[in-house]
Amino acid sequence: LAHQVAAQTPSGQSLGRPCHGVLAAVRIAGMDRWVSQVDTLQALALIHALHTTAQQSATQYGGYLEHAQGSTLYLTWPESTPQAVAASLHSVRHLHTLLAPALLQNETLSHPLSAYTAIESGAYLLGIVGESDSRRSVLLGPVANDVMGMLSLGEELASPILVGPKAAQAFVGGDAVLQSLGRFLLPDQHQAKHLYRSAP
């Protein structure tokens, strides 16, 4: 694959764009099972609502809905400043408030739905793969790995919004407060990371 990428004729469209900023991953837990059990139009309506609501919430706070993969949406802020970290946290807190009624209205007793978010800052890569007539976006890099690992802990820690150490270090309070949860070893990593959760 590396040889194929290296051999491609250079064009005006880049295969990847290195970024450094804040990345927030929002996952709807239970979505995959729920989609398989409901009417397809109902599933499409909820998925559309999730994407548009996430886009609006990110835009309101200076961010972007950059990527989507399955039941996970990725919101980005192009800087790692304290202001960007604060904006990302305000955005996802607002997003959780907006999503709660829609998830509650659509879930069933056997297929509950809930939102979990992980926020971290650092380096990641936004890429485009595939042939020219079937491009697909991808998101790779250390921060992408971190937020995915943090998402896997959200439900276990009963923490809808988790914040990684780099974002927490840059965070400036305001009306939001971060609570320390201690150090955790994320999947496929060798060193434990100090995680925080957003207090209401």
Side-chain angles (χ1 to χ4, degrees), residues 3 10 15 19 32 41 49 57 66-67 75 91 98 100 108 114 124 126 142 144 147 166 168 172 177 189:
H3 287 298
L15 290 175
C19 303
D32 294 337
L41 288 178
S57 182
E66 198 74 65
H67 181 64
L75 313 177
S91 175
L98 295 177
T108 63
S114 52
Y124 56 93
L126 291 171
V147 295
K166 292 180 182 176
V172 177
V177 178
Q189 297 200 14

Side-chain angles (χ1 to χ4, degrees), residues 56-121:
Q56 291 166 2
S57 182
T59 301
Q60 181 177 344
Y61 290 92
Y64 307 90
L65 173 58
E66 198 74 65
H67 181 64
Q69 184 174 356
S71 58
T72 304
L73 307 175
Y74 293 89
L75 313 177
T76 63
W77 283 259
E79 298 177 328
S80 293
T81 62
Q83 294 80 7
V85 173
S88 68
L89 187 54
H90 289 309
S91 175
V92 298
R93 291 176 73 196
H94 181 237
L95 178 58
H96 276 247
T97 301
L98 295 177
L99 291 181
L103 297 180
L104 186 62
Q105 181 179 352
N106 284 277
E107 70 178 3
T108 63
L109 288 176
S110 58
H111 296 84
L113 299 170
S114 52
Y116 291 92
T117 298
I119 301 173
E120 183 58 303
S121 64

Side-chain angles (χ1 to χ4, degrees), residues 103-192:
L103 297 180
L104 186 62
Q105 181 179 352
N106 284 277
E107 70 178 3
T108 63
L109 288 176
S110 58
H111 296 84
L113 299 170
S114 52
Y116 291 92
T117 298
I119 301 173
E120 183 58 303
S121 64
Y124 56 93
L125 176 77
L126 291 171
I128 300 292
V129 298
E131 298 293 336
S132 58
D133 59 346
S134 61
R135 294 292 195 194
R136 296 290 183 272
S137 63
V138 294
L139 195 149
L140 305 168
V143 176
N145 295 338
D146 285 352
V147 295
M148 284 305 295
M150 291 161 60
L151 277 180
S152 67
L153 295 174
E155 198 165 359
E156 178 183 343
L157 297 175
S159 301
I161 302 174
L162 288 175
V163 180
K166 292 180 182 176
Q169 185 177 9
F171 177 69
V172 177
D175 64 342
V177 178
L178 297 184
Q179 296 177 339
S180 173
L181 293 173
R183 298 177 65 82
F184 295 86
L185 187 64
L186 301 182
D188 301 321
Q189 297 200 14
H190 303 293
Q191 188 173 2

